[in-house]
Amino acid sequence: MRVVLLGTAAGGGFPRWNCACELCAAARGGRLPSRTRECAAVTGNGRDWWLLNASPDLRAQLAATPALWPGPGRRGSPLRGVLLTDAEADHVGGLAELRGAPDLKVYAASPVRAVLGQARAALDRYAPWEWADSLADGGFVLAGGLVVTAHPMDTTVPGYVPARVPSPAGPWVTAYRVEDLAGGGALLYAPGVGSWSPALDELCAEADCVLLDGTFFAADETDAARPGTGEPAVRGPAPPPGGRPPVGAHPPLTGRLPVAGHLPVVGPDGTLAALARHLGVRRVYTHLNHTNTLLDPASPARAFVTAEGVEILPDGAELVI
């Protein structure tokens, strides 16, 4: 199984268009690498590819990935469909780029399909797509020899859904376990994690690679780097002389989560401490917010996380599982 990280940034990408924080300024000045919005592609045979979310940056991401270029016919494409983890604009905006592509199949949870009703109708006018329930009992098999199961993660409703409108019940955010039937490798793809559960621990334990929500390094970082203020972002913990701090040693200053639906990396309830229970698994953070000091390869925060065996990879990186 091959997985390409088409994009690794959270909403707005990196640098964010309206942010003048230290990190975004460094990216604009070429001192840090820019990143497009989070999206990945997976294949079991190298011919049939499936998107994991559909970023608004999808056109540029596809153009930068030769394996996803069109062919062999004039209008042929290796893309077979999309697996949506949620209905956030930064995960569904790229569907419009795929309009007119025949025979695509889109998997999503029931609330996601419901809130995208008008968009689905518009896209189907160009070419009818099949829209399927990602949480169907028993999972589903994808072209290319991949078997997938979706797992509920969170009930956070996208911000564009009016509060006065009754929201569909059920999980709005899911994770996907993707297994290669031929080789047996298993990927857990979870770019949105609002809470850690025993079920998530089990999914990590059964995976060969985990692509996990790394949106915020610390729970208070959005206070330290407010968009447009030019204030510096949180720099993270510096390892003390003679050794590394324990996992989760950098607690949140406020004791709260910065945005619903995303656990911070560090802190008492951070994901890094949870990942430490799965040392035999390849662990990679994705969906990095523009305030996240992990974006800086020279930061103490990056050194701290990589010392724990968790990777921060660039856009375009390919994993073989």
Side-chain angles (χ1 to χ4, degrees):
M1 177 165 50
R2 294 164 59 195
V3 182
V4 178
L5 307 185
L6 301 178
T8 54
F14 178 67
R16 189 164 177 165
W17 73 273
N18 64 340
C19 183
C21 74
E22 182 181 345
L23 289 171
C24 287
R28 287 192 186 90
R31 298 185 299 279
L32 291 179
S34 298
R35 294 173 183 259
T36 58
R37 283 168 281 193
E38 192 276 327
C39 181
V42 60
T43 183
N45 61 7
R47 298 184 303 276
D48 302 292
W49 287 84
W50 295 83
L51 294 177
L52 299 169
N53 288 326
S55 159
D57 301 317
L58 186 58
R59 180 183 178 280
Q61 293 169 341
L62 296 178
T65 310
L68 301 178
W69 288 356
R74 289 175 61 89
R75 290 284 184 166
S77 171
L79 292 180
R80 303 292 176 254
V82 185
L83 283 62
L84 297 176
T85 60
D86 52 58
E88 294 294 342
D90 289 289
H91 282 161
V92 303
L95 292 175
E97 294 291 341
L98 303 176
R99 65 188 182 276
D103 304 321
L104 288 187
K105 190 165 186 176
V106 182
Y107 290 89
S110 177
V112 175
R113 299 197 316 277
V115 79
L116 294 179
Q118 292 185 354
R120 290 169 53 189
L123 290 167
D124 284 347
R125 288 181 178 271
Y126 292 92
W129 292 352
E130 182 178 353
W131 297 79
D133 183 5
S134 61
L135 289 165
D137 291 341
F140 48 95
V141 178
L142 301 177
L146 302 176
V147 61
V148 181
T149 52
H151 302 270
M153 287 288 111
D154 198 49
T155 57
T156 302
V157 179
Y160 62 80
V161 179
R164 65 181 183 277
V165 176
S167 299
W172 280 83
V173 182
T174 56
Y176 288 104
R177 183 183 188 274
V178 184
E179 182 176 352
D180 177 12
L181 288 174
L187 167 74
L188 177 62
Y189 175 69
V193 177
S195 62
W196 201 276
S197 67
L200 187 52
D201 256 328
E202 292 180 12
L203 288 169
C204 289
E206 295 171 353
D208 296 289
C209 179
V210 176
L211 273 176
L212 191 71
D213 182 353
T215 306
F216 300 105
F217 180 70
D220 62 330
E221 73 186 46
T222 52
D223 292 335
R226 295 191 298 276
T229 65
E231 296 180 8
V234 171
R235 277 298 173 202
R244 293 187 281 113
V247 172
H250 182 68
L253 302 181
T254 59
R256 60 171 173 76
L257 299 185
V259 175
H262 298 287
L263 287 176
V265 169
V266 294
D269 299 316
T271 58
L272 189 62
L275 288 177
R277 297 192 288 269
H278 306 286
L279 298 180
V281 177
R282 186 173 187 181
R283 299 155 297 165
V284 181
Y285 277 128
T286 189
H287 199 268
L288 305 173
N289 197 55
H290 67 286
T291 58
N292 192 330
T293 192
L294 291 175
L295 293 165
D296 183 354
S299 68
R302 177 75 78 92
F304 178 61
V305 167
T306 55
E308 297 298 333
V310 183
E311 299 174 78
I312 312 296
L313 298 177
D315 286 10
E318 181 171 329
L319 310 173
V320 179
I321 302 170

